[in-house]
Amino acid sequence: MARTAAREGGGGAHHGKVNSDGRRGRRGKAAGTPRVTLIPGDGVGPEVIGAAVKVIEAVGVKIDWDQQLAGAIALRRFGSPVPDQLIDSLKSTKVALKGPLETRVGEGYRSINVYLRKLFELYANVRPVRTQAGVHTPFSGVDIIVIRENTEDLYAGIEHQVAPGVVESVKIITARASTRIARFAFEYARTNHRHLVTAIHKANIMKLSDGLFLKCAQRVAREYRDIEYKEQIVDAACMRLVTNPHAFDVLLLENLYGDIVSDLCAGLVGGLGFVPGANYGKHGAIFETVHGTAPDIAGKGIANPVAAIKTGALLLDYLGYGSAADRIRAAVNAVLRAGRVMTPDIGGKATTAEMTAAVIRALK
Ligand code: NAD
């Protein structure tokens, strides 16, 4: 697919038409004010989610936010990182805008993100990675959609100690989930006029698990003759991504490879501060950035709000406010192209609040 300047940076109608089953475009606009669960999250979460909410308000879309705590802050306040009221809210709204949640390394409770994605069967994680005009990176015109299976693989969290000094982590791959995510990727590609799906794997080593994932992808690919299908081993794919990212269009990955490759792809377009994300299921969606709680900059008011603001735009697409979402993306582009108000991660001196205010001014 030709990558024109118009495709750079997130403006225009290329944000990914997808609804909760990934097939028929956006979810139609519901009558009345949509109710959405708002989870500010941990670390920089409240700073960047606050920015996204302000921009959504400024673009004129009314949302009835049901604010809920999750993660470390909920543990401190309610004694649980997933309080009952959070689950009740998600069951009722079926859609959330969520900040990142802290998960301790090697100890503590299991990832709440993984738990919520599994609980609500949000099986498709979609991350549009695009060059942002005004942000200097080694490559221009990067335009990759990362589609990651969200419910199984090593993230099933089945780990046990076999004997002292010996542990096992179980990698679960099923035909059902692999076929479902492959179909989502091809439907996404068709709906959004993409030309190539590349399945990324390590089936040379994990012949059974990644082998099954590939077989399912191949079977689905045969139903989509209009879309080219390729396969690549994950290590070679990583090398190729950082030497020739233009060789890729839609990436189809299992959970772990998808997690790692998402951050690698974010690095291609200026860092984690730029990449929005969404988790889609048949019955709902949670919108969240690729980045985490950024503990090194949390509370300093300098987090880049662009990823969260663009995640807010994905939420508006889903709710049926596509033109408001396009206006937000255009405003973000205008601010970055002008290059005057930038956060420190991209060489500027502006605060999160100043950059958010600049985006709001650019809406008008
Ligand atoms: P991270 O994404 O939080 O940060 C990695 C680096 O990118 C840091 O240097 C950080 O300052 C920078 N960065 C991230 N977001 C930025 C932004 N908006 N603006 C400017 N710089 C930004 O990854 P990490 O440090 O590995 O993880 C921290 C915590 O976040 C961990 O507890 C992890 O489990 C959690 N996490 C949560 C989610 C989620 O909730 N979906 C995703 C990833 C990580």
Side-chain angles (χ1 to χ4, degrees):
M1 176 185 282
R3 286 175 175 76
T4 63
R7 292 186 65 83
E8 292 187 11
H14 59 271
H15 32 73
K17 289 179 196 158
V18 64
N19 73 356
S20 53
D21 66 4
R23 296 188 191 182
R24 290 180 300 273
R26 301 165 180 170
R27 184 170 104 164
K29 196 191 287 188
T33 306
R35 198 166 147 73
V36 175
T37 303
L38 182 70
I39 307 167
D42 299 318
V44 295
E47 300 164 50
V48 297
I49 291 296
V53 168
K54 277 194 184 132
V55 172
I56 289 172
E57 274 166 15
V59 82
V61 175
K62 286 211 174 0
I63 291 182
D64 178 8
W65 299 108
D66 182 19
Q67 186 161 326
Q68 296 290 336
L69 297 184
I73 186 170
L75 180 67
R76 287 195 294 276
R77 190 84 56 91
F78 303 117
S80 164
V82 259
D84 289 347
Q85 54 268 44
L86 165 72
I87 300 299
D88 291 345
S89 173
L90 289 169
K91 280 184 180 159
S92 142
T93 63
K94 300 185 170 46
V95 56
L97 178 61
K98 181 188 140 311
L101 302 176
E102 179 188 307
T103 311
R104 293 261 161 92
V105 175
E107 55 170 28
Y109 52 81
R110 283 183 51 201
S111 165
I112 304 308
N113 303 307
V114 173
Y115 174 77
L116 292 177
R117 291 168 193 162
K118 278 187 77 173
L119 185 67
F120 292 100
E121 286 267 325
L122 304 174
Y123 65 90
N125 189 316
V126 179
R127 292 160 162 186
V129 181
R130 295 194 175 95
T131 299
Q132 190 78 60
V135 179
H136 300 292
T137 50
F139 300 101
S140 62
V142 174
D143 182 4
I144 295 170
I145 307 294
V146 178
I147 297 186
R148 161 187 174 193
E149 204 291 322
N150 237 355
T151 61
E152 53 181 34
D153 190 3
L154 284 160
Y155 286 43
I158 304 170
E159 291 191 311
H160 47 257
Q161 180 173 297
V162 179
V166 184
V167 296
E168 272 181 4
S169 275
V170 181
K171 171 163 172 157
I172 307 274
I173 297 292
T174 65
R176 176 179 171 268
S178 302
T179 303
R180 181 171 67 172
I181 194 67
R183 196 170 297 289
F184 183 100
F186 278 94
E187 282 295 333
Y188 184 100
R190 188 176 272 171
T191 309
N192 292 283
H193 312 294
R194 315 290 303 208
H195 72 293
L196 166 68
V197 172
T198 306
I200 299 202
H201 66 92
K202 192 77 186 173
N204 50 330
I205 304 297
M206 280 161 280
K207 293 173 194 290
L208 276 186
S209 54
D210 286 17
L212 175 61
F213 183 81
L214 277 190
K215 271 189 203 125
C216 296
Q218 289 159 4
R219 215 170 288 136
V220 173
R222 286 197 282 275
E223 297 170 28
Y224 294 81
R225 298 285 185 194
D226 49 324
I227 294 155
E228 196 183 348
Y229 171 69
K230 287 186 180 169
E231 295 171 353
Q232 232 172 77
I233 294 175
V234 62
D235 33 353
C238 287
M239 187 279 296
R240 197 114 181 268
L241 276 163
V242 298
T243 51
N244 183 16
H246 304 113
F248 296 94
D249 187 13
V250 175
L251 304 185
L252 167 62
L253 309 104
E254 293 169 8
N255 209 338
L256 176 63
Y257 308 145
D259 196 359
I260 297 167
V261 169
S262 293
D263 278 36
L264 182 150
C265 287
L268 293 172
V269 297
L272 287 161
F274 291 103
V275 184
N279 305 284
Y280 298 105
K282 273 209 183 313
H283 307 294
I286 294 182
F287 294 81
E288 63 181 340
T289 61
V290 175
H291 72 71
T293 60
D296 50 338
I297 56 168
K300 295 184 180 165
I302 55 165
N304 185 342
V306 167
I309 292 171
K310 289 173 92 177
T311 298
L314 288 180
L315 166 71
L316 294 191
D317 286 331
Y318 179 77
L319 294 174
Y321 297 94
S323 57
D326 286 344
R327 280 183 61 212
I328 291 176
R329 284 182 280 262
V332 168
N333 286 347
V335 169
L336 291 170
R337 209 173 278 130
R340 282 188 295 274
V341 190
M342 309 276 237
T343 43
D345 56 305
I346 35 171
K349 291 201 167 100
T351 63
T352 310
E354 286 163 350
M355 202 159 169
T356 307
V359 172
I360 290 171
R361 278 196 303 279
L363 282 172
K364 307 215 161 105

